[in-house]
């Protein structure tokens, strides 16, 4: 079976689609920033999330490639 290639330039193995829903755009961006510090990721896409002004951010992370040196908690959580 062939694997597909995504915008990060890697196979789909290890890819995770992440959806963040928050009450404000700033809160959603802070969470996305933490994820991008740990993993290689695509640019986030932003959408309204409900009538109360919430925000939904979506991004794809590559769990096989770290963006910065692996934090000890991340490394120790792997099997």
């Amino acid at each position: 079976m062939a694997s597909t290639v995504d915008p990060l330039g890697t196979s789909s193995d290890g890819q995770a689609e992440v959806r963040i829903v928050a009450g404000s755009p700033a809160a959603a961006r802070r969470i996305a920033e933490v994820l991008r510090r740990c993993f290689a990721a695509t640019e986030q896409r932003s959408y309204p999330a409900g009538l109360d002004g919430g925000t939904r951010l979506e991004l794809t992370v590559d769990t096989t490639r770290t963006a910065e040196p692996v934090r000890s908690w991340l490394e120790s959580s792997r099997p």
Side-chain angles (χ1 to χ4, degrees):
M1 180 166 92
S3 0
T4 59
V5 175
D6 64 61
L8 293 173
T10 61
S11 71
S12 60
D13 293 339
Q15 300 294 308
E17 295 292 326
V18 179
R19 180 176 295 155
I20 302 163
V21 179
S24 73
R29 282 191 302 269
R30 284 192 299 265
I31 298 301
E33 182 180 326
V34 169
L35 288 171
R36 282 194 300 274
R37 285 183 184 170
C38 294
F39 302 106
T42 60
E43 288 296 316
Q44 64 198 32
R45 298 164 306 278
S46 179
Y47 306 94
L51 301 174
D52 60 350
T55 297
R56 184 180 87 216
L57 291 182
E58 295 178 359
L59 64 152
T60 303
V61 296
D62 182 350
T63 63
T64 65
R65 294 184 351 194
T66 58
E68 293 182 0
V70 177
R71 312 255 189 286
S72 60
W73 61 267
L74 177 62
E75 190 172 41
S76 66
S77 69
R78 292 188 178 168

